[in-house]
Amino acid sequence: EYGIHATVNMMAVPKRHGGNAWNELSYWAEIAGDTAETPYTEEEWKNIKDCFTMLSKRYEDIPIEYLSFELINEGYAYDLEKQMSNWKTVISAIREITPERILIISVDNHEETALVEAFAKEGVAISYHSYNPRNFVYFQNDWYEDSSGDTSVPAPQWPYVDENGTEWSAELIYETYIKPVKDIADANNVGFIVGEVGICNNSRANPIAEEDAKEYGKEMVDMFEKYGIAYDHFNYMSDIGFARQFNPDMPGRDGETMTYVEYEFEDYKTSFYVDKELLDIWAGK
């Protein structure tokens, strides 16, 4: 009705991040016990195939302009031969129902070239999550694995100069992290998007200054436009961005600086905390 494209995202397939607390709420019962060393079970693969087959049948009549499937969110190339053997079965099941359905995988590590190439050869589009350089965008994020949480450490500025004296720019981010992944997509004639980008600094620990966040954001957008790169999900500041779904059981994410809003749909209600001030800044108001 409104010309909006939606992507159904398989957020937490088994072993996306083995043992990561974020995945304990996954639909897959075995997720908490999966590790990078253990393979998917045959039951898990059957469940994944059945899930995508169900979605394909349910939305068979939805044109490809309005619906796509993201098979993996931030995947990794462990046990690649067996992994791809099973994913090919899943892909075939989807395409048997809707041959032209756009399929996507995302990675958040530019070195996952083997996984990217394997999927690109199957005609699957590539989404890169651009959270680099890590020590800038993840500075003192309260869940990032390398965070010290020491609030006496001053927040980095933009342009960011790392511990080796390298001064980072959007152009250097493109050349170092984005271009290697995009080149694989281009070589295999599949789509490419920067599916997530921005700053994941936890503003309640030690905030990156608003002016630095704005300059970083503007420079990144200019770079995307220069290279004709589509992008999505821009985190302006903090660990989630403009909107945070309210989850009172998640420490540090209870929206104390946000405005509570509710949206009512025909068959359900959802609520979010929205930082309207940041949203207005980004919108140029």
Coordinates of all heavy atoms in Angstrom, one line a residue, residues 26 30 35 40 55 89 99 105 115 124 130 144-145 169 176 181 192 195 208 222 235 239 250 268 270:
S26 N 16.5 -17.0 21.0 CA 16.2 -17.5 19.6 C 15.1 -18.5 19.6 O 14.8 -19.2 20.6 CB 17.5 -18.2 19.1 OG 17.2 -18.9 17.9
E30 N 18.2 -25.2 20.5 CA 19.5 -25.6 20.8 C 20.6 -24.5 20.8 O 21.7 -24.7 21.1 CB 20.0 -26.6 19.7 CG 19.1 -27.9 19.6 CD 18.0 -27.7 18.6 OE1 17.7 -26.5 18.3 OE2 17.4 -28.7 18.2
T35 N 28.2 -24.0 19.6 CA 29.5 -23.3 19.6 C 30.1 -23.3 18.2 O 29.6 -24.0 17.3 CB 30.5 -23.9 20.6 OG1 30.9 -25.2 20.0 CG2 29.9 -24.1 22.0
Y40 N 25.7 -27.7 13.0 CA 24.2 -27.7 13.2 C 23.8 -29.2 13.3 O 24.4 -30.1 12.7 CB 23.6 -27.2 11.9 CG 23.6 -25.7 11.6 CD1 24.7 -24.9 12.0 CD2 22.6 -25.1 10.9 CE1 24.7 -23.6 11.7 CE2 22.6 -23.8 10.6 CZ 23.7 -23.0 11.0 OH 23.7 -21.7 10.7
L55 N 7.5 -19.5 5.0 CA 7.5 -18.1 4.6 C 7.3 -17.8 3.1 O 6.5 -17.0 2.7 CB 8.8 -17.4 5.1 CG 8.9 -17.2 6.6 CD1 10.4 -16.8 6.9 CD2 7.9 -16.3 7.2
T89 N 20.2 -26.3 -0.2 CA 18.9 -27.0 -0.1 C 17.8 -26.0 0.3 O 16.7 -26.0 -0.2 CB 19.0 -28.1 1.0 OG1 20.0 -29.0 0.6 CG2 17.7 -28.8 1.0
P99 N 11.0 -18.1 -7.7 CA 12.3 -18.2 -8.3 C 13.1 -16.9 -8.2 O 14.3 -16.9 -8.1 CB 12.1 -18.6 -9.8 CG 10.8 -19.3 -9.7 CD 9.9 -18.6 -8.7
I105 N 22.5 -12.3 2.5 CA 23.1 -12.6 3.8 C 23.9 -11.4 4.2 O 24.3 -10.5 3.4 CB 24.1 -13.8 3.7 CG1 25.3 -13.5 2.8 CG2 23.4 -15.1 3.3 CD1 26.6 -14.2 3.2
L115 N 32.8 -17.0 2.9 CA 31.4 -17.1 3.1 C 30.7 -16.2 2.1 O 29.7 -16.6 1.4 CB 31.0 -16.7 4.5 CG 29.5 -16.8 4.8 CD1 29.1 -18.3 5.0 CD2 29.1 -16.0 6.0
V124 N 23.0 -15.0 -4.2 CA 22.5 -14.3 -3.0 C 23.2 -13.0 -2.8 O 24.4 -12.8 -2.9 CB 22.8 -15.2 -1.7 CG1 22.4 -14.5 -0.5 CG2 22.0 -16.5 -1.9
S130 N 28.7 -2.1 8.6 CA 29.9 -1.3 8.7 C 30.0 -0.7 10.1 O 29.6 0.4 10.3 CB 29.9 -0.2 7.6 OG 31.0 0.6 7.7
Y144 N 30.2 -4.7 24.2 CA 31.2 -5.1 23.3 C 32.4 -5.8 24.0 O 32.8 -5.4 25.1 CB 31.8 -3.8 22.6 CG 32.8 -4.1 21.6 CD1 32.7 -5.1 20.6 CD2 34.0 -3.4 21.6 CE1 33.6 -5.3 19.7 CE2 35.0 -3.6 20.6 CZ 34.8 -4.6 19.7 OH 35.8 -4.8 18.8
E145 N 32.9 -6.8 23.4 CA 33.8 -7.7 24.1 C 35.1 -7.1 24.5 O 35.8 -7.5 25.5 CB 34.1 -9.0 23.3 CG 34.7 -8.7 21.9 CD 33.7 -8.6 20.8 OE1 32.5 -8.2 21.1 OE2 34.0 -8.8 19.7
S169 N 39.1 8.0 8.0 CA 38.2 8.8 7.2 C 37.2 7.8 6.6 O 37.4 6.6 6.6 CB 38.9 9.6 6.1 OG 39.4 8.7 5.2
T176 N 39.2 0.0 3.2 CA 39.7 -1.1 4.1 C 38.6 -2.2 4.3 O 38.9 -3.4 4.3 CB 40.1 -0.5 5.4 OG1 41.1 0.5 5.2 CG2 40.7 -1.6 6.3
V181 N 34.3 -6.5 0.3 CA 33.1 -7.2 0.3 C 32.3 -6.9 -1.0 O 31.8 -7.7 -1.7 CB 32.3 -7.0 1.5 CG1 31.0 -7.8 1.5 CG2 33.1 -7.3 2.8
F192 N 24.5 -5.5 -3.6 CA 25.3 -5.1 -2.4 C 24.6 -3.9 -1.7 O 24.2 -3.0 -2.3 CB 26.7 -4.8 -2.8 CG 27.6 -4.3 -1.6 CD1 28.1 -5.3 -0.8 CD2 27.7 -3.0 -1.3 CE1 28.9 -4.9 0.3 CE2 28.5 -2.6 -0.2 CZ 29.1 -3.6 0.6
G195 N 24.1 -2.8 5.1 CA 22.8 -3.0 5.8 C 22.7 -2.4 7.2 O 21.6 -2.2 7.7
I208 N 30.3 9.7 22.9 CA 31.0 10.4 21.8 C 30.3 11.7 21.6 O 29.0 11.8 21.6 CB 31.0 9.6 20.5 CG1 32.0 8.4 20.7 CG2 31.4 10.4 19.3 CD1 32.0 7.4 19.6
D222 N 28.2 11.0 2.6 CA 28.8 11.5 1.4 C 29.6 10.4 0.7 O 29.6 10.3 -0.6 CB 29.8 12.6 1.8 CG 29.0 13.9 2.2 OD1 27.8 14.0 1.9 OD2 29.7 14.8 2.8
N235 N 22.8 3.9 12.8 CA 22.8 4.3 14.2 C 23.6 5.6 14.4 O 24.8 5.7 14.1 CB 23.6 3.2 15.0 CG 22.8 1.9 15.0 OD1 21.6 1.9 14.9 ND2 23.5 0.8 15.2
D239 N 23.9 2.7 21.6 CA 24.1 1.3 21.2 C 23.0 0.8 20.3 O 23.1 -0.3 19.8 CB 24.2 0.4 22.5 CG 23.2 0.7 23.5 OD1 22.3 1.6 23.2 OD2 23.1 0.0 24.5
M250 N 16.6 -5.8 30.1 CA 17.9 -5.6 29.4 C 18.6 -4.4 30.1 O 18.2 -3.3 29.8 CB 17.7 -5.4 27.9 CG 19.0 -5.6 27.1 SD 18.7 -5.7 25.4 CE 17.9 -7.3 25.3
Y268 N -2.2 -6.0 16.6 CA -1.2 -6.0 17.7 C -0.8 -4.5 18.0 O -1.0 -3.6 17.2 CB 0.0 -6.9 17.5 CG 0.9 -6.3 16.4 CD1 2.1 -5.6 16.8 CD2 0.7 -6.5 15.1 CE1 3.0 -5.1 15.9 CE2 1.6 -6.0 14.1 CZ 2.7 -5.3 14.5 OH 3.6 -4.8 13.6
T270 N 2.6 -2.2 19.5 CA 4.0 -2.2 19.8 C 4.4 -0.9 20.4 O 3.8 0.1 20.1 CB 4.9 -2.5 18.5 OG1 6.3 -2.6 18.9 CG2 4.8 -1.3 17.5

